[in-house]
Amino acid sequence: MDQQRAKDEL
Amino acid sequence: MNLFRLFGDLSHLASIFILLHKIRTTRSCRGISFKTQALYVAVFVSRYLDILWEWVSLYNFVMKVFFIASSCFILYLMKMKYRPTHDPSIDTFRVEFLVGPCALLALIFNYKFTFTEVLWSLSIFLESLAILPQLFMLQRTGEAETITTHYLAALGAYRALYIPNWIYRYFSEGVVDPIAVTAGLVQTALYADFFYVYFTTVIQGQKFELPA
């Protein structure tokens, strides 16, 4: 499981 | 992109148009918290300024520009054009109690200790609490114009729809954004009471009134 910031979300 | 997120974003768009419609048709910003709107400007500017150096997609770009521009425009309408219709004496939530803790949280919880990433975290935490001055104002007056409640419902639906979006992404892409998810859950929970009254009164065609 990757923990990261979803850059495509607003 | 999945349908939950698309409808969440559309709901967010709708909320802005409902708010603009309310201000224009009633020629008043009565019942709208200036503090909440000012917080949204801070949220969108701090989060979406990345359009200057990061390209995601045309959809992403257009939405970000729209949210920055519309939130600033709403602030202009409230502060300049319809200023006399805004009553600061009922918009009394102490915003400094929100910004301080959010800044601290952003410094502790972020994906990278850089200026822009901390700013992004701050915007996420701030957004989750930005509605509080508005809800506080609603609590104080005990009632709201129907159009204002539609605005709040659309705004609440936006973050609520992001929750199934995260669940979907977890299973389909195996990614999770714990900062956004935690803040999103808090934000949606804040609307619980409002949604209860909204569905039991406004949707049944009655006026939104909080029990005394």
Side-chain angles (χ1 to χ4, degrees):
Chain A
M1 184 177 75
D2 261 349
Q3 291 202 353
Q4 62 181 59
R5 156 187 167 190
K7 288 197 173 171
D8 54 345
E9 288 185 0
L10 288 165
Chain B
M1 176 61 81
N2 57 62
L3 282 180
F4 299 116
R5 189 145 59 89
L6 179 64
F7 282 112
D9 290 344
L10 291 179
S11 180
H12 194 187
L13 271 185
S15 76
I16 307 273
F17 286 116
I18 294 169
L19 181 58
L20 286 171
H21 178 76
K22 176 250 171 331
I23 295 175
R24 280 181 183 283
T25 52
T26 63
R27 302 189 58 77
S28 150
C29 49
R30 197 168 69 93
I32 304 297
S33 163
F34 178 79
K35 291 182 176 179
T36 284
Q37 298 306 320
L39 282 172
Y40 280 131
V41 170
V43 165
F44 296 141
V45 169
S46 58
R47 193 183 313 161
Y48 297 160
L49 220 56
D50 66 355
I51 51 173
L52 296 178
W53 61 85
E54 201 136 21
W55 180 261
V56 177
S57 65
L58 184 65
Y59 171 85
N60 193 273
F61 179 81
V62 171
M63 289 295 233
K64 284 175 173 174
V65 171
F66 175 81
F67 287 122
I68 292 177
S70 62
S71 61
C72 290
F73 180 60
I74 288 165
L75 221 53
Y76 155 77
L77 289 179
M78 295 190 78
K79 207 69 200 166
M80 315 290 274
K81 199 156 184 216
Y82 298 110
R83 190 191 181 102
T85 62
H86 177 250
D87 181 4
S89 70
I90 50 168
D91 191 11
T92 50
F93 193 89
R94 300 286 297 271
V95 176
E96 56 271 36
F97 292 149
L98 293 185
V99 181
C102 283
L104 194 64
L105 280 174
L107 287 170
I108 303 169
F109 300 101
N110 51 64
Y111 292 118
K112 213 173 172 190
F113 199 73
T114 61
F115 181 70
T116 53
E117 284 295 317
V118 171
L119 211 57
W120 177 84
S121 269
L122 173 67
S123 82
I124 290 286
F125 293 127
L126 216 49
E127 186 196 342
S128 69
L129 303 177
I131 199 63
L132 283 177
Q134 177 67 60
L135 293 175
F136 185 70
M137 199 167 149
L138 208 63
Q139 198 71 244
R140 278 197 65 164
T141 49
E143 54 163 45
E145 290 169 59
T146 301
I147 183 95
T148 304
T149 65
H150 292 327
Y151 159 66
L152 285 170
L155 197 58
Y158 145 64
R159 270 295 138 168
L161 280 162
Y162 260 62
I163 296 173
N165 153 66
W166 289 319
I167 297 171
Y168 180 87
R169 294 192 93 171
Y170 169 71
F171 287 110
S172 67
E173 300 165 40
V175 292
V176 67
D177 180 339
I179 294 176
V181 171
T182 313
L185 289 173
V186 170
Q187 186 173 352
T188 308
L190 292 179
Y191 282 91
D193 192 47
F194 165 80
F195 269 125
Y196 176 75
V197 182
Y198 182 73
F199 282 116
T200 52
T201 61
V202 181
I203 292 295
Q204 324 278 343
Q206 298 163 29
K207 192 174 159 50
F208 184 95
E209 266 175 313
L210 291 173

